[in-house]
Amino acid sequence: MYFDGMFVLIIIAFIFSMWAQFRVKGTFKKWAEVGTSTGMTGYEAARRLLDANGLHDVPVEPVPGTLSDHYDPINRVVRLSEPVYYERSISAVAVACHEVGHAIQHQEHYPMLVARHKMFPVVNIASGIAPFLLIAGFLFGAMNLIGLGIIFFSAAVAFQLVTLPVEFNASSRARQLMIQEGYIANDEERGVAKVLNAAALTYVAAALISLLELIRYIMIFTSNRE
């Protein structure tokens, strides 16, 4: 019954995740139709904010897709989806400045970002191996494989948890700098906050699902060893 209760929580978390994805798309679309008072594109906002923080050597590039925006710490490039790169809206400027927030974190050696970068190579391997170990362990009743799978899966969960403060910090930096540099008016901050908060919810949902799954695996593992 305890396991069944945990399974119900995981299902609820999945529903929350789907809602978060739906909300971020809807919120982005809504505020993509609202222009900023400055009339800047996402590219212009990103470029100016990078330059204002001494990151003249960090390029801003357009990439295909929607909400495919990201900061590449290896090549030190801010990549913006085409709607964000070219459009003049609150959504575009908010997302662009959020990604610049990651570039500033990188420049300042923000501890959680440094930790995430160091974890990535291990997590990249662990997240690929963990499902096979868990499936094999459950199929063949091999508790050692399940235990090993839990260890690898724990690394992936830890990575997602470390990602949360990185994302929230980047959004906080973006909001403060956008007002400080005059990229948005005070009355436009509400729209920026809604866009960035909706995006943050997707990370929270993903971390919650992974954490609940990990707890469930641990419960199954410990109960079978009793």
Side-chain angles (χ1 to χ4, degrees):
M1 290 294 293
Y2 194 54
F3 292 149
D4 290 343
M6 182 58 69
F7 182 73
V8 170
L9 287 177
I10 293 173
I11 294 299
I12 293 173
F14 269 110
I15 294 173
F16 173 61
S17 178
M18 292 174 62
W19 173 80
Q21 292 289 343
F22 176 79
R23 184 183 178 193
V24 72
K25 291 178 181 178
T27 303
F28 180 87
K29 182 178 179 181
K30 174 183 177 180
W31 292 98
E33 297 172 356
V34 180
T36 62
S37 55
T38 61
M40 284 193 297
T41 63
Y43 165 75
E44 290 170 339
R47 182 69 271 156
R48 292 186 189 185
L49 193 55
L50 286 166
D51 292 343
N53 286 273
L55 294 169
H56 307 282
D57 58 334
V58 176
V60 182
E61 301 175 349
V63 291
T66 302
L67 298 177
S68 53
D69 314 87
H70 63 280
Y71 170 66
D72 180 348
I74 297 176
N75 297 303
R76 297 189 72 226
V77 178
V78 171
R79 296 195 173 99
L80 303 177
S81 60
E82 291 178 349
V84 169
Y85 188 94
Y86 294 108
E87 290 183 5
R88 307 173 186 275
S89 69
I90 287 178
S91 286
V93 172
V95 172
C97 290
H98 170 87
E99 299 307 332
V100 172
H102 288 308
I104 297 172
Q105 288 175 334
H106 194 180
Q107 177 193 41
E108 297 179 354
H109 303 288
Y110 177 61
M112 300 307 286
L113 184 69
V114 172
R116 190 174 73 166
H117 288 175
K118 290 181 178 179
M119 293 170 65
F120 181 76
V122 175
V123 171
N124 196 33
I125 297 172
S127 60
I129 296 175
F132 296 102
L133 291 172
L134 290 168
I135 292 171
F138 285 121
L139 284 177
F140 301 108
M143 298 307 296
N144 289 339
L145 287 179
I146 295 175
L148 192 58
I150 288 173
I151 292 173
F152 279 103
F153 189 60
S154 296
V157 174
F159 182 81
Q160 288 186 311
L161 293 177
V162 169
T163 294
L164 293 180
V166 173
E167 294 299 327
F168 281 110
N169 180 265
S171 290
S172 177
R173 288 172 185 267
R175 290 172 63 179
Q176 292 175 8
L177 290 171
M178 289 167 72
I179 294 176
Q180 178 181 314
E181 298 294 332
Y183 298 168
I184 58 169
N186 288 333
D187 59 351
E188 295 171 333
E189 187 184 3
R190 173 174 166 270
V192 170
K194 285 186 173 296
V195 171
L196 296 180
N197 289 341
L201 276 180
T202 61
Y203 290 98
V204 173
L208 179 61
I209 291 172
S210 295
L211 183 60
L212 290 174
E213 288 180 335
L214 175 61
I215 293 171
R216 186 166 184 264
Y217 291 141
I218 293 173
M219 289 167 56
I220 294 172
F221 179 76
T222 55
S223 66
N224 287 336
R225 289 181 64 88
E226 294 176 354

